[in-house]
Amino acid sequence: MTGLIAQRIDRIREQIPEHVRLIAVTKQVSPEAIREAYEAGVRDFAENRLQEALFKQQQLQDLPDICWHFIGHLQANKAKKVLESFQWIHSVDSLKLARRLDRLAEELSCRPQVCLQVKVVPDPNKYGWRIPALLADLPELDKCHNLGIRGLMTILPLGLSASQALDAFNATRELADKIGQQNWSNLQMDQLSMGMSADYLLAVKAGATMIRLGTIIFGARS
Ligand SMILES: *Cc1c(COP(=O)(O)O)cnc(C)c1O
């Protein structure tokens, strides 16, 4: 008999195109539950807190082909450890952080894959660039040669209607398209990290390439 987590993952897979990367968000989720998702074929896992992630990575060392994604606000003093433990950082939310990561990546000889976090809808409770501020910072971001800048990430404010959410996801894709059409040497815009349990179908409709799902796979967090 397949477990509940595997069943939920299968259901989600049936709803999304094959090229969309399903990232299981494992904050507050036990290593045992992560193993179940792994057994069901998931290889991308995301955490938003470094200490919690390090503990689980330790417990799951025997699963070598996991790709770890960092999705939380990243404090400067944790940047180095995050680079050592995660292949992707979705939550690069300021030029200052990008420059620090760029410098550290050079020191560590690694090439992190990153997304730039944007707020297409104003939201004082969230980190990230507003659109005009991001456009203004692009020339400096383009100089961060040690980062694989791959696209945009967004988290929508709570309480949007479905049509507002779809508009916001579409606006994020349009922004990525616009940046992608400009002539940057280091800014690729082939990835869109958007969509969580409540809105991933809308995000996929708008062109998400990576969806970040927690609750719908593992159940409600306490
Ligand atoms: C927690 C979290 C998610 C997953 O949220 P769910 O609603 O549980 O799917 C996705 N992205 C980020 C940045 C998160 O912190």
Side-chain angles (χ1 to χ4, degrees), residues 23-27 46-48 70-73 90-91 117 153-155 193 195-200 211-217 219-221:
I23 301 175
V25 177
T26 52
K27 58 189 184 208
E47 289 277 344
N48 65 341
F70 192 81
I71 59 172
H73 175 60
H90 293 231
S91 45
Q117 185 173 348
M153 183 273 234
T154 199
I155 307 171
S193 169
M196 310 184 5
S197 292
D199 55 19
Y200 68 98
I211 54 176
R212 309 178 310 268
L213 305 182
T215 312
I216 199 169
I217 295 176
R221 293 179 291 270

Side-chain angles (χ1 to χ4, degrees), residues 43-220:
R43 292 294 179 272
D44 292 284
F45 293 90
E47 289 277 344
N48 65 341
R49 287 171 197 269
L50 176 64
Q51 290 310 319
E52 187 182 337
L54 292 178
F55 166 76
K56 288 178 214 172
Q57 290 178 352
Q58 172 84 23
Q59 304 285 308
L60 299 166
Q61 269 180 33
D62 57 309
L63 309 178
D65 56 345
I66 288 182
C67 180
W68 287 100
H69 302 251
F70 192 81
I71 59 172
H73 175 60
L74 178 47
Q75 288 159 334
N77 62 341
K78 301 200 172 142
K80 183 159 180 243
K81 268 264 178 254
V82 164
L83 285 178
E84 288 169 344
S85 320
F86 292 82
Q87 288 96 318
W88 277 83
I89 303 173
H90 293 231
S91 45
V92 174
D93 54 17
S94 70
L95 179 58
K96 195 163 176 229
L97 176 61
R99 283 182 170 146
R100 174 179 286 266
L101 290 169
D102 184 53
R103 211 166 48 239
L104 289 167
E106 180 162 32
E107 274 174 41
L108 297 167
S109 301
C110 64
R111 188 173 174 79
Q113 305 298 297
V114 312
C115 295
L116 306 173
Q117 185 173 348
V118 292
K119 298 189 283 191
V120 294
V121 182
D123 184 348
N125 299 315
K126 293 214 168 59
Y127 291 97
W129 278 274
R130 295 296 324 275
I131 295 176
L134 177 65
L135 294 175
D137 281 346
L138 290 177
E140 289 302 311
L141 289 164
D142 196 40
K143 294 178 190 162
C144 295
H145 293 291
N146 302 292
L147 304 181
I149 298 179
R150 298 291 301 278
L152 303 180
M153 183 273 234
T154 199
I155 307 171
L156 300 188
L158 295 174
L160 298 187
S161 69
S163 77
Q164 288 170 326
L166 185 59
D167 286 349
F169 287 139
N170 277 321
T172 308
R173 190 203 62 248
E174 284 159 17
L175 177 62
D177 288 347
K178 175 177 164 180
I179 297 169
Q181 282 157 15
Q182 297 167 348
N183 252 337
W184 302 106
S185 63
N186 193 44
L187 302 178
Q188 276 178 279
M189 283 287 138
D190 59 315
Q191 298 293 326
L192 280 171
S193 169
M194 54 190 200
M196 310 184 5
S197 292
D199 55 19
Y200 68 98
L201 290 176
L202 296 168
V204 168
K205 195 184 268 185
T209 63
M210 300 192 275
I211 54 176
R212 309 178 310 268
L213 305 182
T215 312
I216 199 169
I217 295 176
F218 299 109

